[in-house]
């Protein structure tokens, strides 16, 4: 198994470190404290474990609202990612940070400045996952107006990104020794005077151009509007993709859209989600999978999956655990108030392969690809898509933190390393350099 | 010189660490780097020096705009205080953080969450200096609308504070072992359903009640609206006060206003600004003062002060450096687009003492009390006001960072310590406990 890709890049790996992990059972898992979601030491430990594995980044999703999820399993989103990652950046070297923040409920100047500060503090280790909020519980914390419809939210997101990127490059403070005259002049600090549909922003930003030009932009939405936004702005595309054919089609589609917007498609990195449940044997991994889903056995696991994802109607009433599934049974239309990608990921996988509920439940989690197996199984799953050009890396979703992160680093990473797919040490570069992405600063005009 | 106060409290000392210090000459001061305003290591060093002196806190003022100040001396406000202080909290134990953030250009949910996160990360070391933005350059970064008039800004600030404080106490997540039933229930996470003139916020906050209940609230505005806001919300009152009589009158006034709002006036701490220029002798301190003001000599220092603060008119045309000043010559009315306190501080001092421009220029800086002298002079100035009950502490303004902070810690602190006015070590308490302020959590109802 040898797999260095012709482009010379390694598998980009970012580990989600939200709270106690995605498992609802995580809060009460043996040997852990239920309320560690609110303890910075828990996240610092996660970042240190990730760094020990020479992973590229840690990652948090985010909603600024208290989710009722927590009644059962601890809140998935508590500490605000900006101060949280600033604290981790000061404590843990090398590791990158994929930070989720909303374009719907922030102002461009404040967010541009906070992210530029974090990028400066971390020495160029920041990726911003720019999301358009789809959750009505979030909307209610930011005004009386209901959540704007998706197309309006994405028009706002597009303008937000254009403003933020201009702010990030608006002040070329000199580096090195102090210049002889004023410390900067008007031409090095450019006023934007932006006046758009949603924002009026004068600028310039009061944080100078950062160590990697500006943070890397990541995007996660799978709706039509979301894909167009990805094509315009995303450098990392995060998606819910469970099947290989779907992954290839998605990648081709977004690359085509990017080209249509005049971008070089090779400046996009595809980093889908990957859920992993690892154990020494496949049978043990399946038992762990049931346990982290809070199910007593496989039958309960299937029943829960069915209740959550398969609509109860005339067509589906007689489906048993071993009935081959029809993709038409799974709804995929875009709906307000919910993320589009999760359901699509399931439907696409069912369209692609002949699957029963018993098989499907082991293959997909929250619309993402799921691997339940040994460390070797997980490494093979990663290398398959990476070598096949379906993915440039993965956002790892681990059920129990920090236990499953430790297992990944100790068991899976050595296999990837032996395959030449991940590096043995950090080389001090920015996360933009690690991704092989171009510097966004305009090339200075040559004189003469 | 022995001076432990009857209330058992020590002198509260917070050192401003904005950029390279308040001096416009700081950016080019011998032995320093001009662009350290953007280097987290510079701030970490400042926090470490402050901690070595067992100071209570470091402090940053803030405007989210690039000031033209920087053309001459480096920008006073660059890195955003939220990620900056989060990074420092992760690196430097014990020291507190006085963080300035605007109620005019943030949303209550986001700011409440970011500050609660920082308070959790730091273990209860956060003070929020809540300001109403008065700067049109800031307004232009947040929309097409001009800066709202001061009374509207303060109505917004009042509602903002009421919402934020309610959010901060909205979720009593259990501590200790996991409870037997759900991890929390609806009664422990309270919906606000706030609907006001400026904000609609449902809540609850997704960060639980913090280590000190909530961050300590500080306030700095000196306008009528600002004083009313202080009386309603401030636990620390930061003011521009140069004369002792003015300080006493101010304190009495704000205490009276607080009582009128039903608050215990003993729950307010008065922590005015104090500019210090220290050198081994008074003559050397005066030369340093001229140098940090970028003046060649005393005459140039006086000329600059005059140009900045004394209006040129029929009454003032014939004023020389040694003419005794008339307070009527200094304008004190509130104006839009400028902070009220600075001019008031000068006028009050002139009303209180017979002063010439030559004397005045050594007594006041930016409306704040200024001491130019030896370490002993500075210590005496601090103890005078503290023992006299005029101030509970000082926000120290130092011209050259980190040089003058080092001098303060090495030369002034030992004198204050010998006087019993400051502690020799941290005792692990929150900054609220160090200030002797009450816990804001409602006392739980006793059962039976």
């Amino acid at each position: 198994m040898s797999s260095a890709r012709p482009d010379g890049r390694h598998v980009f790996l970012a580990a989600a470190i939200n709270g106690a992990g995605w498992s609802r059972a995580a809060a009460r898992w043996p040997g852990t404290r239920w309320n560690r979601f609110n303890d910075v030491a828990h996240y610092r430990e996660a970042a240190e474990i990730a760094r020990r594995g020479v992973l590229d980044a840690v990652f948090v999703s985010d909603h600024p609202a208290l989710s009722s999820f927590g009644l059962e399993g601890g809140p998935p989103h508590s500490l605000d990612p900006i101060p949280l990652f600033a604290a981790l950046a000061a404590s843990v070297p090398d590791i990158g940070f994929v930070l989720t923040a909303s374009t719907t409920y922030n102002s461009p100047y404040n967010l541009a400045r906070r992210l530029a500060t974090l990028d400066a503090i971390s020495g160029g280790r920041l990726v911003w996952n720019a999301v358009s909020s789809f959750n009505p519980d979030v909307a209610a914390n930011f005004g009386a107006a209901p959540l704007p419809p998706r197309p309006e939210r994405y028009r706002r997101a597009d303008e937000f990104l254009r403003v933020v990127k201009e702010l990030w490059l608006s002040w070329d403070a000199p580096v090195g020794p102090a210049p002889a005259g004023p410390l900067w002049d008007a031409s090095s600090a450019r006023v934007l005077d932006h006046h758009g549909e949603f924002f009026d922003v004068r600028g310039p930003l009061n944080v100078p151009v950062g160590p990697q030009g500006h943070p890397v932009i990541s995007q996660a939405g799978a709706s039509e509007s979301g894909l167009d936004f990805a094509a315009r702005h995303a450098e990392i595309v995060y998606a819910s993709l469970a099947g290989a054919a779907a992954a290839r089609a998605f990648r081709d589609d977004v690359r085509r859209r990017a080209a249509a917007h005049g971008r070089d498609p090779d400046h996009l990195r595809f980093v889908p989600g990957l859920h992993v449940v690892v154990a020494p044997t496949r049978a043990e991994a399946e038992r762990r999978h049931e346990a982290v889903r809070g199910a007593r056995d496989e039958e309960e696991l299937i029943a829960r999956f069915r209740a959550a994802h398969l609509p109860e109607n005339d067509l589906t009433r007689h489906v048993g655990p071993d009935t081959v599934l029809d993709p038409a049974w799974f709804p995929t239309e875009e709906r307000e108030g919910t993320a589009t990608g999760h359901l699509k990921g399931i439907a696409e996988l069912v369209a692609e392969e002949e699957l029963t509920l018993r098989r499907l439940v082991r293959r997909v989690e929250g619309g993402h690809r799921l691997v339940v197996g040994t460390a070797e199984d997980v490494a093979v799953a990663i290398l398959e898509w990476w070598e096949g050009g379906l993915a440039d890396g993965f956002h790892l979703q681990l059920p129990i933190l920090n236990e499953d992160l430790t297992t990944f680093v100790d068991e899976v990473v050595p296999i990837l390393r032996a395959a030449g797919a991940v590096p043995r040490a950090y080389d001090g570069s920015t996360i933009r350099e690690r991704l092989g992405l171009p510097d966004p600063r305009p090339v200075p005009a040559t004189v003469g």
Side-chain angles (χ1 to χ4, degrees), chain A:
Chain A
M1 191 161 56
S2 170
S3 54
R5 275 211 315 209
D7 57 23
R9 294 201 304 267
H10 63 269
V11 183
F12 181 86
L13 292 175
I17 62 168
N18 277 84
W22 64 258
S23 162
R24 293 188 183 210
R28 297 171 191 278
W29 200 253
T32 62
R33 286 170 302 103
W34 79 274
N35 50 6
R36 61 203 188 279
F37 70 86
N38 194 38
D39 179 2
V40 68
H42 169 66
Y43 297 96
R44 189 167 56 235
E45 187 189 71
E48 281 163 355
I49 295 165
R51 178 173 182 260
R52 181 157 60 74
V54 197
L55 302 194
D56 292 287
V58 289
F59 164 57
V60 288
S61 62
D62 193 59
H63 293 298
L66 181 59
S67 162
S68 56
F69 189 141
L71 287 170
E72 195 183 326
H77 311 109
S78 177
L79 299 180
D80 185 275
I82 294 174
L84 173 62
F85 278 161
L88 298 189
S91 314
V92 186
D94 301 317
I95 191 85
F97 301 98
V98 182
L99 181 149
T100 299
S102 168
T103 57
T104 314
Y105 297 114
N106 280 288
S107 60
Y109 197 96
N110 277 344
L111 192 62
R113 185 178 179 215
R114 288 169 179 154
L115 298 183
T117 298
L118 187 37
D119 207 35
I121 285 172
S122 66
R125 292 189 271 152
L126 187 63
V127 176
W128 172 31
N129 180 34
V131 298
S132 150
S133 295
F134 62 82
N135 186 328
D137 287 345
V138 171
N141 289 329
F142 292 90
L147 200 65
R150 187 174 272 127
E152 181 184 324
R153 293 204 317 270
Y154 273 103
R155 281 207 315 283
R156 181 183 159 107
D158 174 57
E159 188 182 333
F160 198 108
L161 265 281
R162 286 187 282 119
V163 170
V164 164
K165 287 196 275 191
E166 227 185 308
L167 283 170
W168 278 339
L169 299 179
S170 66
W171 180 28
D172 298 309
V175 290
L183 292 180
W184 70 85
D185 61 25
S187 75
S188 72
R190 291 173 298 280
V191 163
L192 276 65
D193 265 339
H194 171 89
H195 301 286
E197 181 186 355
F198 297 93
F199 307 112
D200 297 88
V201 181
R202 187 163 74 192
L205 196 66
N206 58 354
V207 180
V209 174
Q212 56 175 346
H214 65 61
V216 172
I217 310 284
S218 173
Q219 184 278 347
S223 65
E224 267 303 304
S225 312
L227 294 179
D228 186 64
F229 178 77
R232 288 171 191 267
H233 298 291
E235 300 179 284
I236 290 178
V237 183
Y238 175 45
S240 303
L241 296 164
R248 187 173 298 284
F250 177 83
R251 183 172 172 277
D252 292 347
D253 178 34
V254 176
R255 283 174 58 90
R256 225 175 358 248
R257 289 172 190 251
H261 284 295
R263 294 180 64 201
D264 181 345
D266 289 340
H267 293 170
L268 278 74
R269 300 288 169 266
F270 292 84
V271 185
L274 180 68
H275 280 259
V276 299
V277 179
V278 189
T281 68
R282 285 184 191 172
E284 284 170 280
E286 293 191 348
R287 295 301 82 72
R288 185 173 180 87
H289 182 213
E290 290 146 20
V292 301
R293 290 300 261 122
R296 275 180 309 258
D297 53 23
E298 185 167 274
E299 300 314 314
E300 192 176 335
L301 187 70
I302 293 167
R304 287 189 181 201
F305 183 94
R306 180 185 186 132
H309 300 302
L310 190 68
E312 183 75 24
N313 58 36
D314 283 351
L315 294 171
T316 62
R317 192 157 304 132
H318 302 291
V319 170
D322 299 301
T323 312
V324 174
L325 299 166
D326 183 331
W329 297 341
F330 293 87
T332 58
E333 69 278 9
E334 294 188 11
R335 285 183 302 170
E336 285 296 341
T338 175
T340 300
H342 291 191
L343 299 169
K344 217 166 170 172
I346 298 175
E348 285 170 346
L349 181 63
V350 170
E352 196 172 309
E353 301 181 30
E354 287 213 340
L355 287 170
T356 61
L357 277 176
R358 193 179 303 284
R359 278 300 301 146
L360 181 61
V361 78
R362 307 291 190 181
R363 295 286 305 282
V364 67
E365 177 67 54
H368 292 287
R369 191 177 177 211
L370 165 67
V371 184
V372 179
T374 64
E376 183 73 22
D377 290 335
V378 173
V380 166
I382 288 172
L383 292 171
E384 242 174 35
W385 280 32
W386 180 66
E387 291 173 344
L390 304 181
D392 299 296
F394 294 92
H395 284 93
L396 302 168
Q397 295 283 355
L398 304 154
I400 310 288
L401 293 174
N402 291 319
E403 190 170 304
D404 285 314
L405 180 57
T406 303
T407 304
F408 186 89
V409 161
D410 289 344
E411 309 288 334
V412 181
V413 166
I415 304 172
L416 297 174
R417 202 173 275 169
V422 297
R424 289 171 189 281
Y426 294 98
D427 62 359
S429 58
T430 65
I431 196 156
R432 177 175 291 283
E433 289 163 342
R434 289 170 67 82
L435 281 156
L437 289 168
D439 192 305
R441 280 168 278 207
V443 178
T446 47
V447 181

